[in-house]
């Protein structure tokens, strides 16, 4: 295993993870760490093009799963693995748990196929720590509001997001030492306090 730490951030749309990624990046940089912030689908020029398709072009569930894993492969090879190899901390807005939650839970796609793709694409590389921003579907929908045109996922109904939450819960139950569940219904400062406490508890820094 290479030197850097790989941390992912997960949760349904509207759970509020993005601003905390920036706060954690600054917190780590103050402590002298090189930090790479990225996102999925995306993170490289090729993967960002695939993101556009996944978020906006109609397609079936298998095509969607293949495209998110194709984007992930490029992201891993081009950006994540080299950053970890030189000792950087990688903070990633979503990773493979999102595929199990959205394609597996939300769309009902075959989890065994996803597990096979995960093995091929990642060859054992998984995040060291995953912050799961857990929020009731109704609260997340209120937070999302009507601020902008929804993409193919944001446009889904409450039942879809309930299945996504169940998908995340199953992944967390299967890897409890990797997951830190954040009660994202709390106010911002309390959410950050939980993240900081988890970082200190791990004492990697
Ligand atoms: P998101 O990360 O929420 O970005 P933004 O804040 O710009 O909306 O959007 C990415 C969407 O892609 C989100 O709805 C979840 C979905 N997604 C999947 O369905 N599968 C995946 O494997 C990943 C990484 C994301």
């Amino acid at each position: 295993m290479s030197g850097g730490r790989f941390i992912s951030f997960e949760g349904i749309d509207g759970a509020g993870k993005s601003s905390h990624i920036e706060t954690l990046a600054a917190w780590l940089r103050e402590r002298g760490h090189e930090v790479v912030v990225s996102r999925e689908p995306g993170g490289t020029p090729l993967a960002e093009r695939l993101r556009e398709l996944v978020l906006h072009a109609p397609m079936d569930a298998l095509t969607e799963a293949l495209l998110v894993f194709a984007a992930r492969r490029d992201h891993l090879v081009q950006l994540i693995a080299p950053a970890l190899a030189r000792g950087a901390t990688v903070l990633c807005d979503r990773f493979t748990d999102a595929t199990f939650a959205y394609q597996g839970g939300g769309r009902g796609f075959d989890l065994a196929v996803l597990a096979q793709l995960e093995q091929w694409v990642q060859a054992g590389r998984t995040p060291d720590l995953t912050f799961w921003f857990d929020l009731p579907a109704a609260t997340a929908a209120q937070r999302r509001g009507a601020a902008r045109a929804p993409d193919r996922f944001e446009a889904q109904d409450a039942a879809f997001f309930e299945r996504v939450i169940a998908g995340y819960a199953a992944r967390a139950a299967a890897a409890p030492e990797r997951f830190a569940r954040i009660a994202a219904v709390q106010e911002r400062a309390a959410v950050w306090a939980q993240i900081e406490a988890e970082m200190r508890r791990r004492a990697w820094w």
Side-chain angles (χ1 to χ4, degrees), residues 119-184:
Q119 217 174 13
W120 283 338
V121 165
Q122 293 165 228
R125 172 80 75 187
T126 54
D128 299 298
L129 168 62
T130 296
F131 286 110
W132 170 33
F133 286 62
D134 191 17
L135 190 68
T139 314
Q142 269 171 12
R143 286 193 189 173
R144 285 199 301 279
R148 57 176 187 182
D151 62 36
R152 289 175 62 242
F153 300 101
E154 292 163 342
Q156 296 293 324
D157 62 12
F160 177 90
F161 285 106
E162 296 292 357
R163 293 195 300 275
V164 173
I165 291 169
Y168 277 127
R171 290 285 280 182
E177 68 298 332
R178 173 166 67 85
F179 269 83
R181 180 184 168 276
I182 304 290

Side-chain angles (χ1 to χ4, degrees), residues 7 20-33 35 91 192 195-201 203-205:
I7 304 176
H20 289 289
I21 296 175
E22 290 308 325
T23 307
L24 181 56
W27 187 89
L28 285 165
R29 287 179 182 128
E30 279 166 20
R31 283 156 183 78
H33 295 275
V35 181
L91 304 184
W192 168 251
I195 292 171
E196 187 177 1
E198 183 65 26
M199 298 299 283
R200 293 190 188 284
R201 189 180 75 77
W204 290 337
W205 327 95

Side-chain angles (χ1 to χ4, degrees), residues 13 40-41 51 55 72 94 98-99 102-103 148 153-154:
D13 299 82
E40 289 217 341
R51 175 190 178 92
L55 294 192
R72 182 161 302 132
R94 304 188 182 282
T99 311
Y102 280 78
Q103 281 65 53
R148 57 176 187 182
F153 300 101
E154 292 163 342

Side-chain angles (χ1 to χ4, degrees), residues 39 41-52 70-72 74-75:
R39 68 170 183 182
T44 66
L46 172 60
E48 290 289 332
R49 288 168 73 181
L50 295 175
R51 175 190 178 92
E52 270 311 298
R72 182 161 302 132
D74 193 60
H75 191 206

Side-chain angles (χ1 to χ4, degrees), residues 5 7 21 25 29 33-38 75 79-80 83-84 86 88-92:
R5 299 287 179 183
I7 304 176
I21 296 175
R29 287 179 182 128
H33 295 275
E34 183 197 351
V35 181
V36 174
V37 176
S38 196
H75 191 206
L79 189 106
I80 296 174
L84 295 174
R86 66 174 186 267
T89 301
V90 175
L91 304 184
C92 196

Side-chain angles (χ1 to χ4, degrees), residues 100 109-119:
F100 280 84
F109 188 73
D110 190 336
L111 298 178
V113 174
L114 297 182
Q116 178 74 76
L117 289 167
E118 178 182 31
Q119 217 174 13

